[in-house]
Amino acid sequence: MRLALIADIHGNLPALDAVLAEIDREGVDRLVCLGDISVGPQPVETLERVRSLGCPVILGNWDAWFVEGAPHLNGKLASVLLELHAWSAGQFSREQREYLGGFEPLLEVPLTAGESLLAFHGSPQSYEDMILATTPDQELERMFAGRSALVLAGGHTHFQLCRRFGESLLVNPGSVGLPFRRRREGVMGIAPWAEYGLVDHDGGRLSVDLRRTTFDVEGFLETMRSTGMPHADWWASLWTEEHAAL
């Protein structure tokens, strides 16, 4: 079984197309999307591109908020994120919202030899849980609450990850459209690449390949500024060395 994992596309169609082009060349048996498709510059375009793939999609926090309504957010970026939510949500048809509402919070994917991969967004307990390299095992035990699989695969953090948890391999393929990186003084920026993962299991051998690939970032930022998306200049600045002020 050769499985491709994508997550956190966030309305970035060129990044998604670049990743899918590489996956097409890999001869994978199955593709799974770990959620958060559409908040961003091209919400409808990315949603329809993913839907055309016919792959299972896990319910991410933004996917749920488009169906359930705007979340309660705090902090400096709360008003910005709520405006982005409203702008993106306003572009979906009723039928597209129904598609979003059909995403599952958990999915067990058979591998081989009786083994499986458990797919989720944040954790099996909540699409808002954050699993990082530094998350203590005791906290992971709460999040997984006895659930186990050969591979545990989630997204949400926008950081690629591969670590052991008990007898399982815990994997995050990173973000297709909004991969985080830290800048000076701890300020978060966006990396100029797209991320995804490949999982291979042949019964006796397991391998995980975390990948990055290039796409036309400048062209994407130009498209972003032309969409009418609120705070487009600020969003675009996250890809550059200097952040625009809010």
Side-chain angles (χ1 to χ4, degrees):
M1 169 65 76
R2 187 165 172 79
L3 179 71
L5 298 172
I6 58 174
D8 297 287
I9 301 163
H10 287 279
N12 187 337
L13 185 62
L16 175 59
D17 282 340
V19 164
L20 292 176
E22 289 201 1
I23 290 172
D24 283 345
R25 295 193 291 271
E26 292 293 333
V28 301
D29 300 297
R30 195 166 187 185
L31 170 67
V32 176
C33 177
L34 301 174
D36 276 5
I37 294 174
S38 294
V39 67
Q42 298 167 293
V44 172
E45 293 89 340
T46 50
L47 181 147
E48 291 300 336
R49 183 75 170 96
V50 170
R51 178 153 63 166
S52 73
L53 302 172
C55 68
V57 183
I58 301 301
L59 183 71
N61 53 300
W62 282 100
D63 306 318
W65 294 338
F66 285 134
V67 177
E68 300 167 2
H72 177 73
L73 298 175
N74 296 307
K76 181 180 178 181
L77 296 179
S79 62
V80 173
L81 296 176
L82 289 173
E83 287 180 44
L84 289 169
H85 172 275
W87 180 80
S88 299
Q91 300 188 52
F92 295 131
S93 68
R94 178 178 178 180
E95 190 269 339
Q96 287 166 335
R97 289 177 185 273
E98 290 175 352
Y99 169 66
L100 287 164
F103 297 169
E104 296 292 336
L106 284 172
L107 177 68
E108 187 170 354
V109 182
L111 296 174
T112 57
E115 302 287 3
S116 64
L117 176 146
L118 183 64
F120 46 88
H121 186 67
S123 83
Q125 296 296 314
S126 171
Y127 48 60
E128 294 184 306
D129 277 341
M130 304 281 285
I131 296 178
L132 301 169
T134 55
T135 303
D137 278 1
Q138 284 187 330
E139 183 64 10
L140 292 179
E141 288 169 4
R142 177 196 66 80
M143 293 180 186
F144 286 97
R147 291 182 179 273
S148 65
L150 181 67
V151 181
L152 306 168
H156 188 50
T157 67
H158 298 223
F159 286 109
Q160 289 182 318
L161 169 72
C162 186
R163 62 173 278 189
R164 283 288 298 273
F165 171 57
E167 296 302 312
S168 301
L169 197 62
L170 181 54
V171 176
N172 186 325
S175 173
V176 170
L178 206 65
F180 289 161
R181 67 176 178 183
R182 296 195 182 278
R183 297 271 177 80
R184 58 184 178 273
E185 300 179 357
V187 176
M188 194 72 74
I190 308 302
W193 57 69
E195 299 174 340
Y196 67 103
L198 297 173
V199 176
D200 279 283
H201 186 241
D202 65 5
R205 176 180 177 273
L206 173 66
S207 67
V208 175
D209 191 0
L210 298 179
R211 296 193 175 185
R212 298 172 177 174
T213 192
T214 58
F215 68 100
D216 182 5
V217 175
E218 289 303 320
F220 170 65
L221 298 184
E222 184 176 341
T223 297
M224 180 190 302
R225 294 185 180 101
S226 70
T227 61
M229 183 182 79
H231 306 288
D233 286 338
W234 169 77
W235 188 291
S237 78
L238 299 178
W239 272 267
T240 67
E241 287 300 319
E242 298 298 330
H243 294 298
L246 285 173

